[in-house]
Amino acid sequence: MRPTIERVQKDVSPSWHFVDYQCTTSKLGMQCDWHYHDEIELVLYHDPHYVAPGKIIIDDYVGEAAHGYAYLTGPGLPHMLTRVASTATPERPSSSHVLWFDQSWIQSLVVTVPALSAVSDMLVRANKGLMLSKATFDALYPLMNGASQLKPAAQFVRVVEILMLLCEDKSAQTLTSRPFCFYVAKDTPILDKLEKAQQFIADNYDAQISVQDICRHLHMSESSVYRMFEKHFADSFSDHLKNYRLGKACEMLVRSNIPVSVVAERVGFSNLSNFNRQFKTTKGMTPTDFRKLFG
């Protein structure tokens, strides 16, 4: 099972993209695999009949994907969604509403419109993921529901309104224990190295890779690679790799009945005891107890 870097197809504008997902039929085992985006993602779950309860995992955070919940995740922050079942019908539907927007574009917008300066602080907070308040969910829903059908100019107005609402949410809760990747402007030379490092880990996390392997892949010195991870991922290389592997382990535990020992091996842990210890330290529960949450 490989992770995916989900590329957002922005039909209306290269700077943002709205989408509405509707569920009106009964389904079993709906999943959204472990993935991340280059963009910031805002997602709202609208399920007033509670017909499609689910869980969302954002790096080392586990939360509800249910009615009234809204999450903001920064670029590179891995996440996944799982629903055991849906009993939705046309009369009792559920839906999720998503907005992806480009961080570089928002930064340029802030420079042009100083009144949006508070957006910059919100972008920093998004690097750890945010669960928005219920009041913000209520205000966001009418702005996002159906926005995908609007013309570009009307969508732009919605995006600005949404950004302001996000900035005003003082009750938003930070989710993960550390930022996954700090903001890097598109014209910064290090961006290419960061993307290649992320992809290398995504392609090889199940093998016994080392920092020297990253150095050879990026044509960088060991000290430069260490500095890059500490500066842009707020983690050492070894911790970043460990947490990525644990995220993949979460996906396997949720999506399959594979024994825990096999999961540990498939995500690159050669020692089961070490895997169990690292998993419990990070998630606050054993792999078996974690799997039971989604049973």
Side-chain angles (χ1 to χ4, degrees), residues 101-242:
F101 39 84
D102 182 81
Q103 193 163 209
S104 295
W105 171 72
I106 295 177
Q107 292 286 14
S108 65
L109 189 65
V110 170
V111 172
T112 306
V113 186
L116 295 175
S117 60
V119 173
S120 295
D121 295 333
M122 180 269 296
L123 296 182
V124 172
R125 297 182 68 200
N127 286 319
K128 286 188 173 183
L130 293 174
M131 182 173 68
L132 305 174
S133 67
K134 181 60 167 61
T136 297
F137 170 89
D138 291 337
L140 285 172
Y141 177 69
L143 293 175
M144 293 184 64
N145 183 30
S148 60
Q149 305 303 313
L150 299 175
K151 293 182 179 180
Q155 285 194 8
F156 172 75
V157 173
R158 291 282 179 95
V159 170
V160 173
E161 289 184 81
I162 288 168
L163 288 173
M164 295 309 299
L165 282 172
L166 295 176
C167 295
E168 293 166 0
D169 189 349
K170 305 305 181 184
S171 300
Q173 299 178 29
T174 300
L175 302 180
T176 69
S177 61
R178 75 245 187 271
F180 202 79
C181 185
F182 289 115
Y183 169 71
V184 180
K186 285 189 174 180
D187 57 354
T188 304
I190 196 64
L191 180 60
D192 180 61
K193 298 291 188 182
L194 290 170
E195 291 179 342
K196 286 181 178 178
Q198 286 180 309
Q199 191 60 57
F200 184 83
I201 290 172
D203 291 338
N204 298 282
Y205 69 92
D206 53 346
Q208 295 305 306
I209 59 177
S210 68
V211 69
Q212 288 79 18
D213 297 319
I214 288 278
C215 292
R216 285 189 290 270
H217 183 69
L218 300 180
H219 305 291
M220 294 174 65
S221 69
E222 192 168 321
S223 59
S224 295
V225 168
Y226 280 130
R227 285 195 300 269
M228 181 182 73
F229 272 84
E230 289 170 359
K231 179 178 180 180
H232 296 288
F233 293 104
D235 255 339
S236 66
F237 165 74
S238 59
D239 282 344
H240 184 84
L241 176 61
K242 176 196 70 177

